Amino acid sequence: MLTHIWSMSFTDETTTAQREAFLSAMAELPRRIDGVQSFRSGTDLGLNPGNSDVVIVAEFADADDWRAYIEAPAHVAFVEQHVTPLCAEWGAIQFDPAVLA
């Protein structure tokens, strides 16, 4: 099992319409890419200053399925059309939830 967590903050110039298009495209990712076992995403509730604006938590059987997701045409298009032009900063981590640190 592999868990992938990704978060991003929008640029100050990002419009409401761009955010809505981003969220809509993000929600479509698990339907358009094979190998995604679970996929949750959401926007920050604004409870803590400095948090990221959006997050994805996705689970895959293994690293090969995760790589296939990252390289899938739908994911590449999402990054090119929505992430790259709107991203102020992002972070990600992949981990095996069965391995306790």
Side-chain angles (χ1 to χ4, degrees), residues 16-88:
T16 299
Q18 288 171 313
R19 284 177 184 243
E20 289 172 359
F22 175 98
L23 295 172
S24 178
M26 183 172 66
E28 287 296 315
L29 287 175
R31 291 187 269 281
R32 300 183 63 205
I33 303 172
D34 292 334
V36 179
Q37 291 189 345
S38 74
F39 187 95
R40 293 174 290 158
S41 61
T43 57
D44 185 58
L45 298 176
L47 302 176
N48 190 35
N51 283 358
S52 297
D53 293 318
V54 295
V55 67
I56 290 173
V57 178
E59 293 183 322
F60 303 88
D62 54 34
D64 289 338
D65 281 353
W66 172 78
R67 283 187 191 96
Y69 164 81
I70 293 297
E71 296 169 0
H75 183 268
V76 172
F78 171 72
V79 171
E80 289 174 352
Q81 296 168 14
H82 299 284
V83 175
T84 300
L86 304 178
C87 181

